[in-house]
Amino acid sequence: MRIRQRPRRLRKDASIRALVRENHVDASDLIQPLFVIDGTGKTEAIDSMPGVERLTIDKICEKGQNLLELGIRAVALFPCVESSLKDAEGSESLNPQNLVIRSIRALKSCCPELSVIADVALDPYTTHGHDGILNPEGTRVMNDRTVETLAVMARILAEAGVDWVAPSDMMDGRIGAIRDGLDDAGLVNTSILSYAVKYASAYYGPFRDAVGSARSAGTRLLDKSTYQMDPANRREAIRESILDVEQGADALMVKPAGPYLDIIREVRNATHLPLAAYQVSGEYAQIHAAAKMGWLDLIKTRDESLLAIKRAGADMILTYFAESYASGLSQTG
Ligand code: PBG
């Protein structure tokens, strides 16, 4: 038989496969999300996220050092705020001594070279678990009032030394308002990583357990579909991305990642900013759960899931697998 094109020649052995491999996931592509709690010397397991713990600030600093040694250069901080500090307007978000602010200061002094990202959204601080301030009837998140608060919140985070503020609230106009607020305060070097394309996803369930926003809402199925995007929409993702580019975002994010690889590719092709993708808590949990049942290989599935996100066009990946992935790399050299 005469077959001139034999793609299998390039798969013949591991060396050839390595030479022609088009995409790689390096530790420096990964961002480790970290959950912070108040106190010292404490860690708390999170049932729906095996291997992920809530950490006190001292433990966050140890973690930061470990991550740097593994080649991971960035973390995203999520505070788990005590319920006594929550109210309907999320006012604790504006307290310049709050948990996340103290974590930023601590991390920037113990690991100055670690790039620190902080979410800008009210959900860790509100009794109802929504990302913004509700109207008097309690039926909708008010856009413009929320944006005003977010701009102040972002400024306080930036004053504490955070490298990136990452608005994850999906209010209209927040990127411009945050940029103006930062610039007016002379904080021109604080970057904005915009959760530009964030879907109203069922995959956030375990995260809401982790930060306790599900508990505040009294249900795991907190409906955010009046502000987060409809999973059915693709064109709208490009529209949201372009709006954030125009308003001054430094980098964009698509979230979740694995179920939205087509969107990652679309945004990659439609804009020139660096692109992040967030492999969210539910994506992590489902791989772990299947592995625990013996139905999937944990490490191979983890690696393939990350590679797929990279191949789709993400420059950086927020993933709860960051540390375990990077330790695997350092073991195998
Ligand atoms: C809050 C926020 C969420 C996540 C990151 N920031 C949850 C939500 O929108 O309810 C989800 C992360 C994850 O599931 O891992 N604004």
Side-chain angles (χ1 to χ4, degrees):
M1 204 186 299
R2 232 173 134 81
I3 301 177
R4 290 207 178 72
Q5 298 283 347
R6 289 184 183 269
R8 287 187 56 189
R9 277 198 285 268
L10 298 179
R11 299 177 203 139
K12 190 166 64 182
D13 59 45
S15 303
I16 294 180
R17 289 196 297 274
L19 285 169
V20 303
R21 187 161 297 134
E22 298 174 37
N23 289 284
H24 302 266
V25 179
D26 298 324
S28 60
D29 300 325
L30 304 180
I31 298 165
Q32 178 75 54
L34 296 174
F35 297 109
V36 203
I37 48 174
D38 228 324
T40 40
K42 269 197 310 182
T43 61
E44 288 174 7
I46 302 162
D47 289 347
S48 47
M49 301 179 72
V52 179
E53 292 176 322
R54 303 185 192 92
L55 306 171
T56 51
I57 294 178
D58 52 319
K59 298 273 178 187
I60 291 271
C61 288
E62 282 171 27
K63 180 69 86 185
Q65 268 141 10
N66 284 343
L67 291 170
L68 279 172
E69 276 163 31
L70 291 170
I72 293 174
R73 317 184 65 146
V75 298
L77 293 177
F78 297 98
C80 309
V81 177
E82 282 170 33
S83 23
S84 62
L85 295 173
K86 297 186 185 186
D87 60 25
E89 308 229 321
S91 11
E92 178 66 7
S93 63
L94 303 183
N95 170 4
Q97 300 300 332
N98 72 21
L99 180 59
V100 75
I101 298 288
R102 284 181 279 126
S103 315
I104 293 165
R105 291 192 197 284
L107 263 179
K108 290 310 291 183
S109 80
C110 67
C111 311
E113 66 280 40
L114 193 66
S115 202
V116 179
I117 303 167
D119 245 43
V120 180
L122 298 183
D123 57 306
Y125 305 100
T126 53
T127 36
H128 43 74
H130 279 289
D131 290 23
I133 300 168
L134 303 182
N135 61 1
E137 300 78 46
T139 49
R140 293 182 89 77
V141 173
M142 291 189 294
N143 193 86
D144 301 13
R145 279 265 343 254
T146 300
V147 168
E148 283 168 21
T149 304
L150 296 176
V152 179
M153 181 181 181
R155 178 179 47 77
I156 295 171
L157 292 163
E159 281 165 350
V162 84
D163 297 285
W164 302 80
V165 289
S168 68
D169 55 289
M170 289 301 278
M171 297 301 119
D172 294 331
R174 89 271 209 220
I175 300 301
I178 289 173
R179 187 70 268 163
D180 287 348
L182 294 174
D183 290 355
D184 290 348
L187 296 157
V188 295
N189 292 321
T190 308
S191 303
I192 301 178
L193 169 58
S194 174
Y195 285 72
V197 183
K198 178 171 178 181
Y199 286 93
S201 171
Y203 286 89
Y204 306 149
F207 174 94
R208 292 180 189 168
D209 293 339
V211 297
S213 59
R215 236 175 305 133
S216 11
T219 164
R220 290 190 72 194
L221 297 171
L222 186 58
D223 183 8
K224 298 191 175 182
S225 47
T226 68
Y227 45 105
Q228 298 178 347
M229 277 180 51
D230 183 340
N233 293 357
R234 191 164 57 85
R235 286 192 311 263
E236 193 184 359
I238 299 172
R239 181 177 186 215
E240 284 283 7
S241 302
I242 289 173
L243 283 173
D244 287 0
V245 171
E246 287 167 353
Q247 290 176 43
D250 297 283
L252 302 174
M253 192 195 302
V254 172
K255 173 185 178 188
Y260 295 86
L261 296 179
D262 56 328
I263 306 296
I264 295 175
R265 173 49 54 184
E266 293 271 0
V267 175
R268 170 71 294 142
N269 291 344
T271 71
H272 294 116
L273 291 188
L275 183 59
Y278 198 144
Q279 183 182 51
V280 299
S281 56
E283 300 177 70
Y284 177 85
Q286 71 183 358
I287 293 175
H288 264 282
K292 193 171 168 201
M293 296 298 285
W295 294 342
L296 284 177
D297 180 274
L298 178 66
I299 303 300
K300 288 207 164 77
T301 313
R302 175 197 72 190
D303 293 359
E304 186 176 333
S305 70
L306 295 172
L307 188 59
I309 296 166
K310 198 72 197 292
R311 190 194 63 234
D315 301 296
M316 43 190 150
I317 308 173
L318 290 96
T319 172
Y320 303 96
F321 284 124
E323 185 176 14
S324 91
Y325 182 86
S327 356
L329 289 184
S330 65
Q331 273 157 30
T332 54

